[in-house]
Amino acid sequence: MDRPEAGRCERLEPGLRRVLAPNPSPMTLWGTNSYLVGEGEVALIDPGPDLPAHREALLAALAPGERISTILVTHAHRDHSPLAAPLAATTGAEVLAFGPAQAGRSPLMAELAAGGLEGGEGVDTAFRPDRCLAHGERVQGPGWVLEAIHTPGHLGSHLCFAWGDRCFSGDHAMGWATSLVSPPDGDMGAYVASLAQLSARSWRVLYPGHGAPVTDPGSRLAWLAAHRRERESSILAELARGPATVRDLTPRIYRETPPELLPAAARNLLAHLLDLWNRRQVAADPGPSTNAIFTLSEPREES
């Protein structure tokens, strides 16, 4: 993959420009991709972090007479949403998203959060859209139409956006890495279901929140789903050897993961275990939590 230059406007195809934010990290690769869709009155997908240099680069990417009329946010993480409000104040654009960060949580994740399960890594708790988008709702401007696809998993409020046969996939599906799913903000069961939802459509290309465009969407989505199934099988195989905690299992499951990424790996592992608990394949003592002792279980009887 050729690394793009932060701040430089790149035309990816007719009607689509990308500006890379200067926020590289192990979790964001080169930085956040901000996309400008259309010409004249354009849509901005994922304004990114509130960095003055990125704000100026986005405004400089506009041709004379152009303006940002709509700001679309895939999800409220601090590398995707904080610049929305300042840019809206400058341009008068309407900010659209599924909702604030905690919108779209499943009943299970809401219950676990109420019980004290902590998450919140990188969450932009201050984010509030001007208007909430429902699944299937369309937003349009001169020469462009974008369809909101609710894809909970990485975050309960995560949206992808369809632009014809192209999909702006946010952090749900990327080519360079798998997604972080950190409960209670993330939900592994929802994530896998959302992968299936995206896989049911025919895409020409995925434009992710980080990294290069994915030019083989069907294969990549299938690989991501298979990877989660394989990870689940590894967890069940380890638990067949005896009870274990998230701390016990993380180095055994993620043997080749760099040390700096093990905390994120532990959150993904917890997400898998909570999904397995919800599907009655494992038990958790004293209950589902970060510090629980997990064991294989027989299917629980319906009450």
Side-chain angles (χ1 to χ4, degrees):
M1 293 183 293
D2 294 329
R3 177 173 181 161
E5 179 184 344
R8 185 167 69 88
C9 178
E10 297 178 280
R11 188 170 294 275
L12 300 181
E13 62 172 280
L16 179 62
R17 288 162 279 180
R18 175 180 65 182
V19 179
L20 177 68
N23 62 327
S25 77
M27 298 300 293
T28 62
L29 190 60
W30 307 317
T32 301
N33 294 322
S34 295
Y35 297 102
L36 294 167
V37 182
E39 296 177 353
E41 294 198 357
V42 305
L44 168 62
I45 297 175
D46 278 350
D50 187 5
L51 299 174
H54 189 49
R55 176 181 177 276
E56 294 307 314
L58 285 169
L59 294 175
L62 300 173
E66 282 193 317
R67 75 178 190 95
I68 299 170
S69 62
T70 307
I71 296 173
L72 299 159
V73 176
T74 61
H75 64 293
H77 272 155
R78 288 196 292 268
D79 55 333
H80 287 261
S81 57
L83 192 56
L87 266 182
T90 299
T91 64
E94 184 179 31
V95 178
L96 307 178
F98 185 80
Q102 295 181 353
R105 273 184 177 169
S106 67
L108 171 62
M109 291 303 142
E111 181 180 349
L112 291 173
L117 180 63
E118 295 183 353
E121 301 93 345
V123 173
D124 182 6
T125 56
F127 175 72
R128 296 291 185 278
D130 295 322
R131 182 162 63 87
C132 295
L133 291 174
H135 175 70
E137 189 170 349
R138 296 189 174 191
V139 181
Q140 63 186 50
W144 56 266
V145 178
L146 293 163
E147 176 194 349
I149 306 171
H150 185 212
T151 49
H154 176 66
L155 204 67
S157 54
H158 194 286
L159 289 176
C160 293
F161 295 101
W163 181 41
D165 60 359
R166 294 140 293 185
C167 179
F168 296 95
S169 55
D171 282 4
H172 192 80
M174 301 174 287
W176 68 283
T178 58
S179 298
L180 173 65
V181 181
S182 179
D185 305 297
D187 183 320
M188 189 60 71
Y191 176 80
V192 172
S194 293
L195 279 179
Q197 178 186 194
L198 288 182
S199 296
R201 298 176 63 155
S202 296
W203 305 107
R204 176 168 59 84
V205 63
L206 304 180
Y207 290 113
H210 309 279
V214 178
T215 56
D216 56 345
S219 296
R220 184 58 180 172
L221 291 169
W223 185 92
L224 289 170
H227 173 73
R228 291 304 180 188
R229 291 193 297 269
E230 291 168 6
R231 191 70 79 198
E232 181 179 287
S233 295
S234 297
I235 293 168
L236 292 172
E238 286 295 331
L239 288 179
R241 298 170 52 190
T245 64
V246 171
R247 179 175 293 182
D248 297 329
L249 290 169
T250 300
R252 286 152 53 181
I253 298 293
Y254 292 89
R255 295 185 181 91
E256 299 180 3
T257 299
E260 65 271 18
L261 294 179
L262 282 176
R267 300 304 295 183
N268 273 339
L269 178 57
L270 175 63
H272 272 293
L273 287 164
L274 293 177
D275 181 44
L276 287 166
W277 177 87
N278 191 46
R279 289 157 48 205
R280 305 181 177 186
Q281 294 192 38
V282 305
D285 183 23
S289 69
T290 305
N291 298 315
I293 299 172
F294 290 91
T295 58
L296 295 181
S297 66
E298 297 296 327
R300 289 174 283 183
E301 294 184 0
E302 296 287 348
S303 58

